[in-house]
Amino acid sequence: MKLLHNQHIDRRDFLSKTSLGLGSVALSSLLGSTKLFGKSVLSDNNPINHLHFAPKAKRVIYLFQSGGPSQLETFDYKPTLQERVGQELPESVRGGQRLTGMTAGQKSFPLAGSVFDFAQYGNSGAWVSELMPHTAKIVDELCFIKSMHTEAINHDPAITFFQTGSQQNGRPSIGSWISYGLGSDNENLPSFCVLLSRGKEGGQPLYAKLWGSGFLPSLHQGVQFRSGKDPVLYLNDPPGMKKTSRRRMLDYLNELHDIQYEKVADPEINSRIAQYEMAYRMQASVPDTMDISREPDYIYDMYGEQSRQPGTFAANCLLARRLIEKDVKFVQLYHQGWDQHGNLPNDIQIMAKSVDQPSAALVMDLKQRGLLDDTLVIWGGEFGRTNYSQGKLTKENYGRDHHPRCFSIWMAGGGIKKGISYGETCEFGYNIVKNPVHVHDFQATLMHLLGVDHERLTFKHQGRRFRLTDVHGHIVKDIIA
């Protein structure tokens, strides 16, 4: 270190800069690995030295259904709504609960039973809609949670809450927390990868903050993979630059950053260098990972015809499996188009068709490869839908508004109990009557399955120690195998 060349350095400055300068030691290891003693070398604020629990899952694939899928058309069967179609939602059921601005002014709240049939499947007897025939075949691999609830009633704060633990912007995402705490098992790919798709035109917008690193080092933010010629933007070298020139440029840049780090001791400098080096290694690893052309026909048949079309949910499910095979820790899929305020019977068919087969195929593909036992798969959105119709109710058509008080998700693999349904809603599908699961409970349980105590994985920022679950969250032990 060049620090000792300064003849006027005092003891305090020496101790401060040399202790922080240990980042330089970590920096040298970035050229060969992103882990040090089993953790990310950049997890230097309050990292995990050892896992808090024996992990049941090593990796996560989160199939996020953006827009809020209706639980009443998918997994939460309510015959009472069929019997009382058109009748008013009883005030005793609603209980003065908050409504969005889209239905608060309605003079009538007519109950809307689903136009789709339900049946029980598997040894578990799980109720599944006719919209999800492929999911129905794998219910004995799934854990349905029918008692999810959240405080957020609008899309942006609700999605942000699920992904970062706060309805306000600026917090690290789940994937970033996992990257920060657990590091990477593949030095040539990011530990947190993001894939986007759209089931139909329109849909709620998605923002990079959902996979951002917030106040954590920027190395831990999610890397978005796109369909097309350049899966990761700005990854390829400019025209005319040779590989040897790129390597030489990075070496000189590393030296300059190291000098700057000694002066200002800003850990973000190390993050920036690590990102440069990761991009250099990804130039070789990403094209091979993203190339699904060599997948056999039976795999395409398994995931559905759309799996041959880059950028679709089906193709992204297949890519998620390939990323997991490469030991990527957290793969986040966002699928847009589930916001059915009107014309629900038609539009939800489009959405269900786009996700049903590939979601089920992903679970079974992981199982046949021996990866499901330690890979946690999650399927669900940011909230549910109302049991009454938004706007005019007809025999063939209706819509549903946002409903944060109860909704359904499913989980599979990674230490989750198979073939169970957890939690229960009332006969009107409006309130939880058994085993509620809050967003923070879900997050705490996810972290526990990865071997992490959600109360102990923290990061000091602006004088306070933050964590994913804020000051809340209980592990849902009844769903853990």
Side-chain angles (χ1 to χ4, degrees), residues 414-436:
I416 289 292
K417 286 182 179 177
K418 301 179 180 181
I420 68 167
S421 290
Y422 185 81
E424 186 178 334
T425 58
C426 69
E427 60 178 337
F428 290 91
Y430 202 83
N431 296 299
I432 296 170
V433 296
K434 184 179 180 181
N435 295 329

Side-chain angles (χ1 to χ4, degrees), residues 1 60 197 315 357 409 434 443 471:
M1 293 179 58
V60 177
S197 59
Q357 183 173 353
I409 69 171
K434 184 179 180 181
Q443 293 162 340
V471 295

